[in-house]
Amino acid sequence: MGEVVCVTGAGGFVASWLIKLLLSKGYTVRGTVRQPGDEKNAHLYKLDKASENLTLYKADLLDYDSIHEAISGCNGVFHVASPLPTGPVQNPEARLLTFSVELIEPAVKGTLNVLKASLEAKVRRAIVVSSGAAVTMNPRWPKDRVKDENCWSDKEFQKKMKNWYGLSKTEAESEAMEFGKSTGLDVVRVCPTLVLGPMLQTTANSSSMFLVRQLKEGYESRENKLQKLVDVRDVAEALLLAYEKPEAEGRYICVGHMIMYKDLLDKLKSLYPHYNYPKSYTDGGEEPKMSAEKLQKLGWNCRPLEDTLIDSIEHYKAAGLLE
């Protein structure tokens, strides 16, 4: 194909798999990272075709000029990067302000910087990676109705629940939607749920650690709630479909499997019986399921859950995360 595309947050879990897929399809990729020479980005240079078709740009989402330089001359953009707090907040009174400064403002401003640079570069389409967290946290949604793309998380409810990451994704996605409407930029948003699967990067990410903790921590009791999971490789495929399919528009929920927490752990236990699983479960209540039907109509499908679990655990074992 030979199109030039930019991927923000290139060294991360989802972005690394997306770049691997893009390179395999003949794209020329520009990845933005904070430090191109950092060891944590070394895995990107080892990808097939990376030596000829991948360039890493030093960029900060909050520095418009650096983002503009990476995106200028691109046909398309995948905005995958999302800020996470750098560490624990010492002063509880300052916590809300700190999360706002460290998480919400950068998520929104970073997204708008990427979209402004995309507009200036006249890209064909910008794909924004949102989150299932921007969909699910809506207490007013009817309990018997499957959550689709019309369901948005309630920002006030997220504040009340102190779900700052979810709030940052909801704010950023709604700003991205409005930016597309007001400027005419073709912006498509994809909302993955909890992303599992083998890692290409060497630093463990938070969603991978979710699975590691279930096997290692030896929890006495856990809440039996609906888990909404998707394989990282399937997320990469969804992002590419959202970019390549002319009919793609709006937002897409990207969920592969929905399974109760206890059933998930029972499945893991049948595959890997020797880990330290929770001893008991409490009732987590009922929750509406989510639908990936809109994404499936684009031609998306997901691999079996068992494949994701086995590939994840085998990778964690090899990486020493389960010792």
Side-chain angles (χ1 to χ4, degrees):
M1 267 185 154
E3 278 197 28
V4 182
V5 293
C6 180
V7 177
T8 66
F13 182 38
V14 171
S16 296
W17 278 102
L18 174 61
I19 289 171
K20 180 181 168 73
L21 178 62
L22 288 165
L23 290 172
S24 77
K25 301 285 186 184
Y27 283 87
T28 297
V29 182
R30 298 179 181 183
T32 74
V33 292
R34 294 194 173 206
Q35 296 294 340
D38 195 315
E39 183 59 32
K40 69 181 181 186
N41 298 316
H43 64 284
L44 295 171
Y45 292 114
K46 295 173 188 165
L47 297 172
D48 283 351
K49 301 185 184 173
S51 56
E52 59 266 36
N53 289 335
L54 174 66
T55 309
L56 294 186
Y57 282 71
K58 178 181 169 66
D60 182 332
L61 288 178
L62 302 183
D63 173 10
Y64 178 77
D65 289 341
S66 68
I67 291 294
H68 179 263
E69 184 187 352
I71 291 175
S72 182
C74 286
N75 303 101
V77 171
F78 296 85
H79 179 39
V80 190
S82 189
L84 288 167
T86 50
V89 182
Q90 301 305 322
N91 175 0
E93 285 74 32
R95 190 167 306 221
L96 178 57
L97 179 63
T98 303
F99 273 113
S100 177
V101 170
E102 285 191 8
L103 202 58
I104 297 162
E105 285 176 23
V108 172
K109 188 178 175 189
T111 297
L112 289 176
N113 277 344
V114 168
L115 295 179
K116 283 172 189 165
S118 300
L119 184 67
E120 199 168 323
K122 297 183 171 60
V123 305
R124 182 163 68 77
R125 178 173 283 169
I127 304 298
V128 172
V129 179
S130 182
S131 168
V135 178
T136 56
M137 295 193 72
N138 186 333
R140 296 187 311 281
W141 190 263
K143 288 267 190 290
D144 58 350
R145 186 176 159 198
V146 173
K147 288 177 178 171
D148 59 20
E149 283 75 12
N150 294 311
C151 184
W152 280 82
S153 290
D154 184 301
K155 295 175 188 177
E156 292 308 313
F157 181 67
Q158 286 177 313
K159 286 176 191 170
K160 187 175 146 191
M161 301 304 289
K162 297 183 168 51
N163 189 319
W164 309 119
Y165 173 74
L167 179 60
S168 77
K169 298 302 279 188
T170 308
E171 293 275 17
E173 192 195 340
S174 51
E175 289 283 348
M177 178 179 69
E178 292 307 322
F179 186 91
K181 281 181 186 171
S182 64
T183 63
L185 178 67
D186 187 354
V187 180
V188 177
R189 297 107 53 210
V190 178
C191 304
T193 54
L194 182 68
V195 185
L196 302 176
M199 299 182 294
L200 293 172
Q201 84 283 8
T202 52
T203 314
N205 54 294
S206 56
S207 63
S208 297
M209 289 310 293
F210 161 80
L211 209 47
V212 171
R213 283 195 298 273
Q214 314 317 308
L215 274 62
K216 280 184 73 172
E217 294 293 330
Y219 296 113
E220 195 59 40
S221 179
R222 296 292 277 170
E223 196 177 17
N224 187 27
K225 292 179 73 171
L226 185 67
Q227 303 298 311
K228 299 170 278 289
L229 315 170
V230 65
D231 191 292
V232 65
R233 296 161 291 187
D234 297 333
V235 176
E237 293 279 1
L239 296 174
L240 187 56
L241 275 173
Y243 178 68
E244 289 186 343
K245 290 280 189 175
E247 67 269 29
E249 51 76 38
R251 82 196 299 220
Y252 290 89
I253 291 171
C254 184
V255 59
H257 302 279
M258 283 163 285
I259 183 170
M260 295 304 289
Y261 179 80
K262 182 181 183 301
D263 295 336
L264 174 66
L265 272 288
D266 285 347
K267 188 178 271 287
L268 278 168
K269 205 170 185 177
S270 70
L271 296 166
Y272 298 97
H274 303 301
Y275 288 103
N276 206 358
Y277 294 96
K279 314 288 186 295
S280 64
Y281 301 90
T282 57
D283 182 15
E286 282 192 42
E287 183 189 335
K289 292 193 170 180
M290 298 171 80
S291 169
E293 186 181 341
K294 187 182 175 195
L295 185 57
Q296 287 159 358
K297 283 177 180 169
L298 276 190
W300 184 77
N301 49 51
C302 61
R303 65 201 67 216
L305 178 58
E306 196 163 295
D307 290 4
T308 299
L309 296 177
I310 290 170
D311 290 352
S312 300
I313 304 301
E314 291 303 323
H315 174 84
Y316 304 156
K317 281 161 65 177
L321 292 171
L322 290 170
E323 288 169 3

